Amino acid sequence: MDQPSLYDDDIVTWTERQAAALRELARRPDLSNMLDWENVAEEIESVGRSQVQAVESLLTQTLAHLLKRLSAPGIPSAEHWRKEIGAFQIAAMGRYERSMRQRINWDKVWSSSRELAKLGLAAYGDMLIPNLPSECPLGPDDLLVSPFDIDAALLKIAESTILKSPEKH
């Protein structure tokens, strides 16, 4: 069993396997009930979930800054936002593991990034670019790559708004 390597290479999968193994042990009548097997397994799984949530948070920040940069490119903070895009994306890449691809809640990330960008732009009297799609126009193959092309990401988001008619509120 190559558990140390899996622990080092993919903490999310490692935590899921360890929790499953603990739950299997908990079913054995010959083992002590002194250990709270279910809660220990849950705590181990939560380590993996927190890793996914950290990547989701960094992706949310990346997308929010992309949206702010796209929505208000002429304001003085735009260059700062560009630097932040790079910093958040690099941090996301550093924490990302392939097993997270299907675990990341892309709908939540996109929705949160739009709300965060809207709040950030309001402070400058600006608004979010209109007609954004309901689904994120950027996926893992766009965001979780190195090198990351900020201009291509901005263009892809901008293009996702062109063919849409204005939403009625």
Side-chain angles (χ1 to χ4, degrees), residues 42-148:
E42 181 63 31
E43 287 299 316
I44 289 172
E45 278 180 328
S46 74
V47 171
R49 283 193 304 272
S50 70
Q51 294 298 315
V52 173
Q53 290 167 347
V55 171
E56 286 177 339
S57 177
L58 291 164
L59 290 172
T60 297
Q61 290 289 343
T62 301
L63 287 165
H65 281 72
L66 282 165
L67 289 171
K68 289 190 292 187
R69 176 96 165 113
L70 185 62
S71 299
I75 68 171
S77 292
E79 280 309 306
H80 172 72
W81 292 336
R82 187 176 183 87
K83 291 175 192 168
E84 291 288 294
I85 291 165
F88 287 124
Q89 191 276 337
I90 289 168
M93 280 292 302
R95 298 192 77 162
Y96 176 73
E97 297 170 4
R98 284 187 319 262
S99 66
M100 293 179 181
R101 185 179 182 100
Q102 299 304 318
R103 292 173 175 94
I104 292 173
N105 184 338
W106 290 99
D107 290 338
K108 181 180 87 173
V109 167
W110 180 238
S111 175
S112 296
S113 67
R114 288 186 321 220
E115 289 302 313
L116 191 58
K118 190 187 302 183
L119 288 171
L121 289 165
Y124 296 95
D126 279 303
M127 294 173 35
L128 201 55
I129 188 171
N131 305 323
L132 285 169
S134 58
E135 292 184 7
C136 187
L138 302 174
D141 294 335
D142 301 307
L143 289 167
L144 295 166
V145 295
S146 183
F148 177 62

